[in-house]
């Protein structure tokens, strides 16, 4: 049976403690295509971990039946460091409490060191270039010196994923529709991914400016192509996406089993599993620029009273929430309306009902890039 489980020790633990990444491998090492799926990088985002659990059950069956054609790595718990962080009885797995930042930011940008290593060493054969580039990528990640537990985790995860053809990083938002983050150069070639996953919204950026995990795997391909000035053919050889599996509390066995089944369809359509994939569902969603997402932020602290549902189509200027400051002397002056900054789909909103100044209260996906967005398109450094 082509299935194994292995552990990668994580550096940076305190004396007397030990942390490992548990990796499930299906298929033979080096088989193609290679798919890499992880959950819980933001450790308090539970939906993906339950989906991974169901996915592993389905992949165990596939392995027992000899249907694994490529190599598939699954990490149902991608962040044991974050999963260990509890304050006030609450799991806090988005930021490293030891100061290492957001667990899904600050991944190394390999494009420039790759360009340095590979200039003059690529050929006219795109397939051969993919092999050479992957080998150089693996070497760079292997040689990376990590400082601290969070960075050791980043390096270990990237070491597993960087040579993959498909990388799916399972996350969730606060309260949200399912949506995908994808590199613009991967679109529309990757349209089968949201169609198989049943995702209605795809947010595209060439780079988002936050160095998230998926982009560390996907962007080096097109950034290297630009840096080498088109001297050799370089395909976008890694389909990497951040998959937002709705909201924090959308943790449900039936939903997760259905999501796992959708991932099986992706793995089959992309050739990692043998057999015929189910018919490709029609594409009824929209792919929009990440730079067109209006992050409606709280200008001051207050109780959050949402005025628009997740999934609502809103108009520019529409009130999407009100902030209530219960401490003001005149209750009639306690409410501050928050307005949509563009026409679009309200796809996410804050779960906590008391906001601090600057908190993002709602996210609205509009059709056009918004002025003044700058180069940092994601929340939470
Ligand atoms: Zn996340």
């Amino acid at each position: 049976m082509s299935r194994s489980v292995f552990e990668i020790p994580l550096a940076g633990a305190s004396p007397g403690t030990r942390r490992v990444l548990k990796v499930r491998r299906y298929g033979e090492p080096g088989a193609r295509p290679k798919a890499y799926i992880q959950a819980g990088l933001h450790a308090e985002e539970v939906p993906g971990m339950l989906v991974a659990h169901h996915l592993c059950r389905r992949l165990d069956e596939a392995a027992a039946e000899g249907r694994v054609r490529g190599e598939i790595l699954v990490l149902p718990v991608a962040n044991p460091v974050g999963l260990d962080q509890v304050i006030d009885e609450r799991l806090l797995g988005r930021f490293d409490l030891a100061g290492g930042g957001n667990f899904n930011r600050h991944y190394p940008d390999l494009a420039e060191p790759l360009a340095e290593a590979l200039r003059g060493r690529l050929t006219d054969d795109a397939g051969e270039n993919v092999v050479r580039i992957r080998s150089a990528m693996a070497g760079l990640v292997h040689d990376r010196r990590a400082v601290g537990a969070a960075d050791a985790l980043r390096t270990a995860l990237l070491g597993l994923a960087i040579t993959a053809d498909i990388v799916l990083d399972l996350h969730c938002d606060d309260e949200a529709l399912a949506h995908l983050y994808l590199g613009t150069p991967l679109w529309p070639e990757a349209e089968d991914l949201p169609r198989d996953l049943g995702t209605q919204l795809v947010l595209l950026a060439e780079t988002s400016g936050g160095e998230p995990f998926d982009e560390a795997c996907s962007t080096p391909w097109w950034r290297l192509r630009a840096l080498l000035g088109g001297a050799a053919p370089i395909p976008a050889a890694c389909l990497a996406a951040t998959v937002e599996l709705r909201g924090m509390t959308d943790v449900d066995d039936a939903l997760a089993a259905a999501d796992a089944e959708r991932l099986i369809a992706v793995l089959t359509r992309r050739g990692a599993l043998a057999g015929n994939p189910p018919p490709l569902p029609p594409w009824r969603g929209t792919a929009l620029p990440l730079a067109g997402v209006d992050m409606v932020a709280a200008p001051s602290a207050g109780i959050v009273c949402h005025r628009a549902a997740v999934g609502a189509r809103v108009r520019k200027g529409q009130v999407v929430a009100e902030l209530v400051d219960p401490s003001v002397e005149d209750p009639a002056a306690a409410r501050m309306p928050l307005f949509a900054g563009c026409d679009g789909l309200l796809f996410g909103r804050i779960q906590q009902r008391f906001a601090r100044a600057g908190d993002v209260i709602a996210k609205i996906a509009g059709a056009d890039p918004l002025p003044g967005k700058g180069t940092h398109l994601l929340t939470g450094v």
Side-chain angles (χ1 to χ4, degrees), residues 11-370:
S14 311
T17 68
R18 177 176 175 265
R19 288 199 184 98
V20 297
L21 281 177
K22 271 188 128 170
V23 185
R24 296 170 79 95
R25 171 183 277 138
Y26 299 89
E28 299 305 320
R32 292 281 164 185
K34 175 179 173 181
Y36 174 93
I37 299 176
Q38 70 176 20
L41 177 57
H42 284 147
E44 81 276 43
E45 297 175 5
V46 182
M49 291 194 270
L50 187 62
V51 171
H53 158 71
H54 283 277
L55 177 67
C56 288
R57 294 180 61 165
R58 295 287 284 107
L59 288 173
D60 284 355
E61 291 166 15
E65 293 164 7
R67 289 191 287 111
V68 182
R69 221 166 62 181
E71 180 187 7
I72 304 168
L73 299 183
V74 184
L75 277 76
V77 177
N79 185 359
V81 182
L83 204 54
D84 207 18
Q85 299 184 155
V86 177
I87 289 182
D88 273 359
E89 300 181 350
R90 279 181 189 273
L91 179 58
L92 296 174
R94 184 175 179 82
F95 293 89
D96 174 34
L97 296 183
N102 186 321
F103 286 110
N104 192 26
R105 305 287 186 272
H106 316 296
Y107 282 80
D109 177 358
L110 298 179
E112 286 189 10
L114 277 174
E116 212 168 291
L118 291 166
R119 192 167 275 117
R121 292 192 43 228
L122 296 180
T123 71
D124 293 334
D125 180 343
E128 174 59 29
N129 290 343
V130 168
V131 172
R132 293 186 186 190
I133 292 165
R134 283 197 179 127
S135 168
M137 285 173 157
L140 286 170
V141 178
H142 181 267
D143 293 343
R144 192 166 181 262
R145 287 179 65 86
V147 180
D151 213 34
L153 176 73
R154 290 185 184 98
T155 303
L157 296 173
L158 200 56
L160 292 164
I162 195 69
T163 55
D165 301 84
I166 304 161
V167 171
L168 300 177
D169 190 10
L170 308 184
H171 286 251
C172 72
D173 209 308
D174 266 20
E175 296 175 354
L177 299 177
H179 56 287
L180 282 183
Y181 291 91
L182 208 58
T184 313
L186 296 167
W187 192 261
E189 191 273 336
E191 195 191 89
D192 58 309
L193 182 63
R195 288 173 70 176
D196 269 329
L197 292 178
T199 315
Q200 300 298 305
L201 174 64
V202 176
L203 295 169
L204 299 172
E206 196 157 317
T207 56
S208 65
E211 289 91 34
F213 179 79
D214 68 324
E215 292 186 12
C217 300
S218 61
T219 62
W221 293 95
W222 51 85
R223 292 209 53 229
L224 178 63
R225 188 162 54 203
L227 286 169
L228 295 183
I234 302 173
C238 180
L239 165 57
T242 296
V243 182
E244 301 283 349
L245 293 166
R246 309 172 195 88
M248 289 280 189
T249 59
D250 293 317
V251 181
D252 174 86
D253 259 327
L255 201 56
D259 283 339
E261 203 55 44
R262 294 180 182 113
L263 288 169
I264 292 287
V266 171
L267 293 170
T268 310
R269 193 171 315 284
R270 290 271 168 174
L273 292 173
N276 294 321
L280 191 60
W283 171 238
R284 295 203 183 91
T286 43
L288 299 171
L290 181 58
V293 172
D294 177 32
M295 307 272 192
V296 182
S300 56
I303 300 166
V304 179
C305 295
H306 287 299
R307 292 285 175 258
V310 169
R313 298 266 165 198
V314 298
R315 307 288 297 181
K316 184 176 180 180
Q318 182 179 333
V319 175
V320 294
E322 287 180 303
L323 287 178
V324 178
D325 180 352
S327 70
V328 297
E329 205 171 310
D330 177 9
R335 286 175 179 271
M336 177 187 293
L338 301 181
F339 304 100
C342 65
D343 292 356
L345 174 68
L346 192 151
F347 67 95
R349 56 183 211 181
I350 192 172
Q351 184 186 23
Q352 190 168 292
R353 293 304 194 253
F354 194 90
R356 301 162 305 153
D359 282 351
V360 172
I361 305 301
K363 297 177 186 174
I364 301 164
D368 302 309
L370 293 166

